Amino acid sequence: MEATVAKTGTEGKTWGGGNRPLNASYGKMMMWFFIVSDALTFSGFIASYGFSRFKFIDAWPVADEVFTHVPFLHGVPAPMYYVAFMTLVLIFSSVTMVLAVDAGHKMQKKKVIWYMFFTIIGGAIFVGSQAWEWATFIKGDYGAVETKGGKILQFLNTEGERVAIADFAKHIPTERVTHEKKNGVWYAAEPTRTSFSYEEVKAGFLANDNLLVRTQYLDEHGHPTVLSREESVAKIMNDGKLVVEGANLRHNEYGHPLFANFFFFITGFHGFHVFSGVIINIIIFFNVILGTYEKRKSYEMVEKVGLYWHFVDLVWVFVFTFFYLV
Amino acid sequence: MAHEHKLEIFRGLVKFKSNITKIWGVFAFLCIVTAVEVVLGIIKPESLTGTRFLAMKVLNWIFIILTLVKAYYITWDFMHMRDELKSLRRSVVWTGVFLICYLILILLIEGDYIFDIYKEGFIKFNF
């Protein structure tokens, strides 16, 4: 399949690139080089996630409680369903990709166009879902309190159900507003303020006797520890410091901030791969329509971009396991 | 390269008539494996989370093994590793496997060590 390059006069010579080492063409071989190195990059990220998780093994968030949302189904707890859907979308787009490669081998231009089209749509749905998942995670749902030591305290009622801070926080009128760049010291703004101050949450908590605190430490069954009412009050009075809503790189209402950091970094890096994969697919898609590969009498380019696309799917299989399942 | 494909999966247990039917067959298999993972992840049977094998919950072993199974079929059938020369296959797969196993071993042992230090005190090896 040397159709992509002009003849260089080195055909058959060992050191001129004319040979096909291991019977793979130059382009495919280079794609495999890239895939191996990228696989090592991703394993570096996932292994460092494992490192941090083992470091805080008794206080790591339970993924089932973090990712419980499905679009258009508000308030319905549905752990994992949406991620499972995303996984299937990505696997399915891999299938259409490999069908495009197969059609390319048979020089069926029409089929290649359609299969490439479905692959691009699948990739776009995946990236969109990823963005939605990020937005939901950043927004948060119940809110929590962070202690002076940076640990997270969440709220439950006596039946063991999670309670949102908005449901019990007392409203204390205050003059305090967000400090903006334009006021006072130049260019010194403060981050977005949470919808309730710590004083308001504390007052609300003390006024409601049926509220309990749950720490991020896991008991022997792997569930976060729930404190008694007396312990809860003591914890809030002595250790509580600020209100956390949602997750960002510094604070994370679901538990350890490192969980959020790795989530953003690894799924972000993967999402970036999917995004660039979609862009590359679109370029190849137009090339197919224009008949570029018909003229070359070879659809090897589709095969190479296919390798990349399957690799992105492969990485997701691992991210899915280590972020959502294990 | 002539485009002949090896059409057997599961070590010849299932043989497909054409490359296209093989692709759909592998897709069905991957869907089943994913479904099993999701169902186990939602139910989390007590029998599997309670028992441990080599310091890890049996359920987590199942997840990891099923993931590797999926990775195998994606690489072998979607990326056509099955049709490549054995030498190419090995140079890609074993390079990754060795380096990744080493990385995971070092980082997880080190993470566990720091966990112990946080938990038990600040001197671990008090010779």
Side-chain angles (χ1 to χ4, degrees):
Chain A
M1 292 278 150
E2 56 284 296
T4 51
V5 246
K7 294 266 188 274
T8 52
T10 54
E11 293 77 32
K13 288 188 183 148
T14 308
W15 295 104
N19 264 0
R20 290 157 54 96
L22 310 182
N23 206 21
S25 69
Y26 175 81
K28 266 169 83 174
M29 186 58 108
M30 289 303 128
M31 188 49 94
W32 276 113
F33 271 107
F34 170 73
I35 286 175
V36 170
S37 66
D38 214 24
L40 293 175
T41 308
F42 269 108
S43 10
F45 293 156
I46 294 180
S48 55
Y49 168 80
F51 171 81
S52 293
R53 187 168 171 173
F54 269 52
K55 191 168 151 187
F56 300 108
I57 195 84
D58 61 347
W60 202 252
V62 182
D64 275 11
E65 294 185 3
V66 180
F67 307 103
T68 55
H69 303 272
V70 172
F72 312 115
L73 290 176
H74 285 290
V76 182
M80 305 240 305
Y81 291 114
Y82 196 56
V83 209
F85 163 75
M86 283 165 67
T87 309
L88 283 179
V89 166
L90 205 56
I91 292 180
F92 189 73
S93 81
S94 241
V95 170
T96 53
M97 186 78 233
V98 75
L99 289 170
V101 172
D102 185 79
H105 285 164
K106 296 172 189 153
M107 304 295 285
Q108 298 162 325
K109 183 178 162 186
K110 276 255 160 57
K111 277 193 172 178
V112 178
I113 292 173
W114 275 111
Y115 286 135
M116 287 294 289
F117 178 73
F118 290 129
T119 309
I120 292 165
I121 298 295
I125 294 176
F126 183 86
V127 178
S129 308
Q130 189 81 276
W132 184 85
E133 184 112 315
W134 270 47
T136 319
F137 184 62
I138 290 170
K139 189 165 152 276
D141 40 0
Y142 294 104
V145 159
E146 194 174 301
T147 65
K148 289 169 191 155
K151 299 283 184 272
I152 288 295
L153 305 175
Q154 297 168 332
F155 297 98
L156 301 176
N157 60 21
T158 33
E159 275 95 64
E161 290 157 352
R162 292 287 301 278
V163 179
I165 51 170
D167 293 344
F168 65 84
K170 254 205 179 120
H171 185 68
I172 304 174
T174 169
E175 297 286 301
R176 183 80 165 79
V177 287
T178 309
H179 176 69
E180 289 168 351
K181 253 197 229 174
K182 60 181 183 187
N183 303 323
V185 185
W186 278 4
Y187 308 122
E190 70 175 348
T192 320
R193 286 157 50 75
T194 47
S195 35
F196 297 96
S197 71
Y198 180 62
E199 290 308 316
E200 290 174 321
V201 172
K202 188 160 91 176
F205 180 78
L206 295 177
N208 284 287
D209 281 336
N210 65 335
L211 289 178
L212 299 176
V213 155
R214 188 171 84 159
T215 69
Q216 65 186 76
Y217 289 99
L218 306 175
D219 61 17
E220 64 270 23
H221 300 295
H223 304 301
T225 317
V226 181
L227 303 180
S228 69
R229 176 69 191 173
E230 293 74 44
E231 289 169 333
S232 299
V233 171
K235 196 84 187 160
I236 288 289
M237 295 300 285
N238 300 332
D239 298 344
K241 188 180 167 206
L242 55 105
V243 176
V244 184
E245 285 170 323
N248 55 42
L249 292 174
R250 292 208 185 92
H251 307 284
N252 172 12
E253 70 155 67
Y254 299 101
H256 206 290
L258 276 174
F259 179 84
N261 297 352
F262 276 109
F263 177 78
F264 289 132
F265 196 70
I266 295 178
T267 64
F269 198 63
H270 176 265
F272 173 67
H273 274 73
V274 181
F275 176 72
S276 39
V278 170
I279 299 290
I280 298 168
N281 275 343
I282 289 174
I283 295 170
I284 303 298
F285 173 68
F286 282 115
N287 276 343
V288 175
I289 292 182
L290 293 173
T292 312
Y293 308 119
E294 206 69 24
K295 280 180 216 135
R296 285 183 191 169
K297 299 191 175 45
S298 154
Y299 278 87
E300 201 197 46
M301 206 46 123
V302 177
E303 200 171 335
K304 283 183 278 196
V305 68
L307 278 180
Y308 178 69
W309 190 252
H310 299 312
F311 171 70
V312 169
D313 181 27
L314 184 68
V315 171
W316 180 255
V317 165
F318 283 92
V319 172
F320 175 61
T321 302
F322 292 112
F323 256 96
Y324 297 93
L325 291 176
V326 167
Chain B
M1 186 182 69
H3 301 299
E4 67 278 347
H5 294 282
K6 293 180 183 152
L7 298 175
E8 296 177 344
I9 63 169
F10 306 135
R11 299 201 158 267
L13 195 67
V14 181
K15 190 162 168 38
F16 293 101
K17 287 200 179 65
S18 74
N19 192 36
I20 292 178
T21 48
K22 184 182 86 166
I23 293 167
W24 287 109
V26 171
F27 173 61
F29 177 67
L30 291 177
C31 286
I32 294 169
V33 173
T34 308
V36 169
E37 283 183 335
V38 170
V39 168
L40 283 178
I42 290 171
I43 303 176
K44 291 198 169 166
E46 197 68 30
S47 56
L48 295 176
T49 51
T51 39
R52 281 167 184 271
F53 176 71
L54 292 179
M56 194 161 70
K57 285 175 193 160
V58 174
L59 187 65
N60 287 355
W61 277 112
I62 294 176
F63 284 146
I64 290 170
I65 289 166
L66 288 181
T67 304
L68 292 174
V69 168
K70 280 205 285 190
Y72 174 88
Y73 283 100
I74 289 173
T75 323
W76 254 240
D77 290 308
F78 288 176
M79 297 168 99
H80 300 301
M81 230 6 168
R82 211 186 280 280
D83 307 323
E84 302 288 355
L85 285 190
K86 196 180 265 175
S87 41
L88 175 68
R89 214 152 57 203
R90 288 184 177 170
S91 40
V92 169
V93 173
W94 289 117
T95 311
V97 167
F98 281 124
L99 288 171
I100 292 167
C101 287
Y102 180 65
L103 185 70
I104 291 173
L105 178 83
I106 295 296
L107 282 180
L108 293 192
I109 288 178
E110 210 57 23
D112 192 44
Y113 167 68
I114 296 175
F115 170 75
D116 280 344
I117 286 191
Y118 280 165
K119 198 174 178 183
E120 312 287 347
F122 291 95
I123 300 171
K124 178 71 174 174
F125 297 112
N126 199 352
F127 297 107

